[in-house]
């Protein structure tokens, strides 16, 4: 008697729990899209709170200080440090910023002088000559005055809203830092009982990774600022301190930040001539090579290491979705996503155990 067909694998029925989970996930994704600005503001506040808690934790380990008191001490220390720096170097920094603003026309004139002697400049001049004359442009601008006033009004409102949002973010960060354990427990209670221990471990890991990333990023920014300051000072570039400060601050944005700070430095080097501008460009390229090949690998031995290609994809994705704020927060968001993918999807869903 010939054997019958092999029994097929039992089909998995879609349970009500699965449908509920899909519905909840859909609602969360929709809420994340419509409330993206609020969620990004909350995430930025969480980053500040993590930094405050990290400082308070160090004071607790070293001095046995209560964590809440430690948060207050850290805040007062930051305010005191900023006040001291402002008192000591505030006037010099303000003068350099004023000089930086005043040198914009001279820098632009240097760029124009270089362009006028190059093929690029000749091509641009021909395009300008072929453009409509100033009378037509003035008439067109007059027709657009209502739109211009509306744009300026929108810019003012956006500025006021941004200042208010930053204030709310700082207040929220203070509350989270002071009552971090309460908010952690509240978040864990949203998870089913059998998964709460796992959820707590994942939350703790995300907090540790964010703290390590911020610490490593601060060291990297300081190193880039020092290298840029020394290099610009040795080359005799004016406003070396301010340009180095810009290089350090913008270095928090991977890929985009170094390009931005280098462009600014090269632009203002044109006030001293084309040759110095080339030297400054080479300086910033060398700094980025040193940072990428020596400094960052040393820091990432103790901090969080992110794959460069994944970082670029994260910047493009979050920047495309959320604009400038998405670019600024792309890397810490990527840190969180990597932890979630590793622990929740790869380990818990797929059952694979990855090395730490």
């Amino acid at each position: 008697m010939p054997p019958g067909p092999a029994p097929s694998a039992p089909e998995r029925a879609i349970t009500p729990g699965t449908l509920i989970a899909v519905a909840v996930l859909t609602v969360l994704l929709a809420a994340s899209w419509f409330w993206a600005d609020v969620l990004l503001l909350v995430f930025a506040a969480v980053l500040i709170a993590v930094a405050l808690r990290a400082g308070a934790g160090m004071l607790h380990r070293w001095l046995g200080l209560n964590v809440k008191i430690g948060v207050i001490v850290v805040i007062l220390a930051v305010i005191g440090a900023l006040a001291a720096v402002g008192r000591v170097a505030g006037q010099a920094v303000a003068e350099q910023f004023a000089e930086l603003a005043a040198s914009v026309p001279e820098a632009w004139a240097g760029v124009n002088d270089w362009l006028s002697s190059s093929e690029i400049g000749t091509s641009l001049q021909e395009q300008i000559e072929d453009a409509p004359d100033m009378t037509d442009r003035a008439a067109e601008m007059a027709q657009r005055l209502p739109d211009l006033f509306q744009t300026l009004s929108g810019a003012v409102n956006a500025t006021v809203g941004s200042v208010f949002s930053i204030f709310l973010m700082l207040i929220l960060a203070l509350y989270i830092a002071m009552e971090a354990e309460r908010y952690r427990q509240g978040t864990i209670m949203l998870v089913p009982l059998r998964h709460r221990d796992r959820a707590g471990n994942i939350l703790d890991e995300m907090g540790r990774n964010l703290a390590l990333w911020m610490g490593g990023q601060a060291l990297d920014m300081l190193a880039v600022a020092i290298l840029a300051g020394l290099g610009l000072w040795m080359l005799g570039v004016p406003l070396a301190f301010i340009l180095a400060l810009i290089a350090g601050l913008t270095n928090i944005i991977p890929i985009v930040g170094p390009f931005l700070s280098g462009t600014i430095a090269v632009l203002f080097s044109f006030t001293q001539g084309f040759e110095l501008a080339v030297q400054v460009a080479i300086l910033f390229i060398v700094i980025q090579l040193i940072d990428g090949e020596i400094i960052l690998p040393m820091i990432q031995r103790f901090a969080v290491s992110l794959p460069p290609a994944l970082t670029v994809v994260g910047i493009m994705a979050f920047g495309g979705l959320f604009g400038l704020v998405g670019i600024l927060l792309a890397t810490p968001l990527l840190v969180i996503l990597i932890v979630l993918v590793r622990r929740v999807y790869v380990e818990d869903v797929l059952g694979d155990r990855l090395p730490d």
Side-chain angles (χ1 to χ4, degrees):
M1 181 178 179
S8 60
E11 296 184 359
R12 294 184 178 179
I14 300 178
T15 63
T18 303
L19 294 177
I20 293 175
V22 171
V24 170
L25 180 60
T26 303
V27 171
L28 289 177
L29 290 176
S32 300
W33 177 258
F34 288 109
W35 298 337
D37 294 338
V38 176
L39 293 177
L40 289 174
L41 183 69
V42 172
F43 182 70
V46 169
L47 284 178
I48 298 174
V50 168
L52 294 175
R53 293 284 295 193
M58 294 174 61
L59 293 176
H60 176 71
R61 290 191 298 270
W62 294 346
L63 306 176
L65 203 62
N66 180 274
V67 175
K68 291 184 179 180
I69 297 177
V71 170
I72 297 175
V73 171
V74 171
I75 294 175
L76 293 177
V78 171
I79 295 175
L82 292 176
V85 171
R87 185 177 181 84
V88 173
Q91 184 176 356
V93 171
E95 291 175 355
Q96 287 211 4
F97 266 116
E99 187 179 348
L100 183 64
S103 62
V104 171
E106 185 180 355
W108 184 245
V111 174
N112 286 332
D113 291 340
W114 175 72
L115 288 176
S116 63
S117 60
S118 65
E119 295 181 0
I120 297 177
T122 303
S123 176
L124 289 176
Q125 289 177 354
E126 292 175 355
Q127 293 181 11
I128 293 174
E129 291 174 357
D130 294 337
D133 59 24
M134 294 302 295
T135 304
D136 296 337
R137 290 194 175 189
E140 184 180 355
M141 288 296 294
Q143 294 176 355
R144 294 184 178 180
L145 278 179
D147 295 335
L148 179 60
F149 285 123
Q150 185 177 1
T151 302
L152 290 176
S153 176
V156 171
N157 292 333
T159 302
V160 174
S162 298
V163 172
F164 185 66
S165 297
I166 292 174
F167 175 76
L168 289 180
M169 179 187 67
L170 295 176
I171 296 298
L172 179 60
L174 177 60
Y175 285 147
I176 295 175
M178 295 291 288
E179 300 287 346
E181 189 60 29
R182 172 182 295 182
Y183 298 116
R184 176 183 179 276
Q185 292 299 328
T187 303
I188 294 174
M189 289 181 66
L190 300 176
V191 180
L193 281 171
R194 64 181 182 276
H195 297 307
R196 287 185 180 177
D197 290 340
R198 177 67 168 167
N201 293 333
I202 293 174
L203 281 177
D204 292 341
E205 182 178 357
M206 288 191 293
R208 287 194 302 270
N209 283 6
L210 284 177
L212 289 172
W213 173 79
M214 285 188 288
Q217 191 65 46
L219 289 175
D220 187 52
M221 292 166 62
L222 179 61
V224 169
I226 292 174
L227 289 176
L230 290 175
L232 293 171
W233 174 72
M234 293 175 64
L235 290 175
V237 177
L239 311 174
F241 175 78
I242 294 299
L243 294 174
L245 182 62
I246 294 173
L249 292 176
T250 57
N251 200 60
I252 195 173
I253 311 174
I255 312 300
V256 179
F259 175 78
L260 178 62
S261 60
T263 301
I264 294 174
V266 170
L267 172 64
F268 285 98
S269 299
F270 270 105
T271 60
Q272 306 296 313
F274 175 72
E275 182 178 351
L276 182 61
V278 173
Q279 294 174 352
V280 171
I282 295 174
L283 169 67
F284 272 78
I285 293 173
V286 171
I287 289 175
Q288 288 308 308
L289 289 175
I290 295 174
D291 183 46
E293 300 298 328
I294 299 176
I295 298 175
L296 268 182
M298 292 176 59
I299 293 175
Q300 289 176 348
R301 291 177 58 188
F302 308 99
V304 177
S305 177
L306 295 176
L310 197 58
T311 302
V312 175
V313 171
I315 292 173
M316 292 189 298
F318 291 115
L321 289 173
F322 309 120
L324 178 60
V325 178
I327 294 175
L328 293 174
L329 298 177
T331 308
L333 284 170
L334 194 59
V335 170
I336 296 297
L337 283 179
I338 287 176
V339 174
L340 291 175
V341 170
R342 286 171 59 94
R343 303 307 180 198
V344 177
Y345 179 70
V346 176
E347 294 186 356
D348 294 346
V349 176
L350 301 181
D352 191 9
R353 294 294 170 182
L354 297 176
D356 291 333

